[in-house]
Amino acid sequence: MRRAIIIVYAVVITFIIGSCRTQPVNIVRIPVKSSTTIDFIKYKDIVYDPVKVEKFPSEYDPGPSIDYFFLNELPKTIKKPIRRYNSEEKPVSDLKEGELLLIGGEISLKIKERNVIDEQKGRKKRRIFVKIENWELQLEIFFRDAATGKNIFSKKLKETYNGADRKKPAYNFEFLFRKITEKFVRLVMGLGRLETRYLIK
């Protein structure tokens, strides 16, 4: 009887130990398609209506850089051509849903000036102030189905650059615009979120 009890205990312990063993796993991080991802394949044609430029210094025109991104760089990313919108083409009323995707928006700039001490000249014990600028660039962008008038993507993006050199507006703009477009591409391509997955070996 005692021997039978010992055997039962041994079987139970063996079963518990076996059930507690964990299988080895691989942990991977994968991009997950988000609600902002645009199905570009669905559309036969994609057109770009030049983004409106607001509140920029009169001596600097960012238009060519903005147009170049939407007409040359973005097509490489989405692997589909984008052409400039022509108001004389087929009327919107004659279009069907999924035929034409319209890209448009507005870009604006806020510049705030402030005075700082020029540290290099300040060593001569003279408080010399120089003006620097804080730039805030805002891009409001939309992707719209031309037939339905419904926005399938709409976003307002902001980037700031503190301590910008007021003598280099082109550099300041390109720096901020690159940061905004990188964020924008991640959103429309659904690359903004990663999820953890556990793969059993």
Side-chain angles (χ1 to χ4, degrees), residues 52-58 60 62 106-112 133-139 159-161 164 169 172-173 176:
K52 295 178 183 176
V53 177
E54 301 283 345
K55 302 176 184 176
F56 269 77
S58 57
Y60 179 68
E106 182 178 299
I107 193 165
S108 61
L109 176 68
K110 289 181 183 177
I111 300 177
K112 294 181 180 178
E133 297 176 342
N134 293 343
W135 282 38
E136 181 185 272
L137 190 66
Q138 177 175 290
L139 173 66
E159 284 292 342
T160 57
Y161 181 20
N172 300 338
F173 171 75
L176 283 174

Side-chain angles (χ1 to χ4, degrees), residues 89-96 99 146-148:
E89 59 186 282
K90 188 177 181 180
V92 174
S93 57
D94 295 340
L95 294 171
K96 295 179 181 178
E99 280 192 336
T148 64

Side-chain angles (χ1 to χ4, degrees), residues 62-78:
S65 293
I66 299 168
D67 293 348
Y68 184 84
F69 168 76
F70 284 102
L71 294 171
N72 297 88
E73 295 299 326
L74 187 58
K76 295 175 187 174
T77 303
I78 66 174

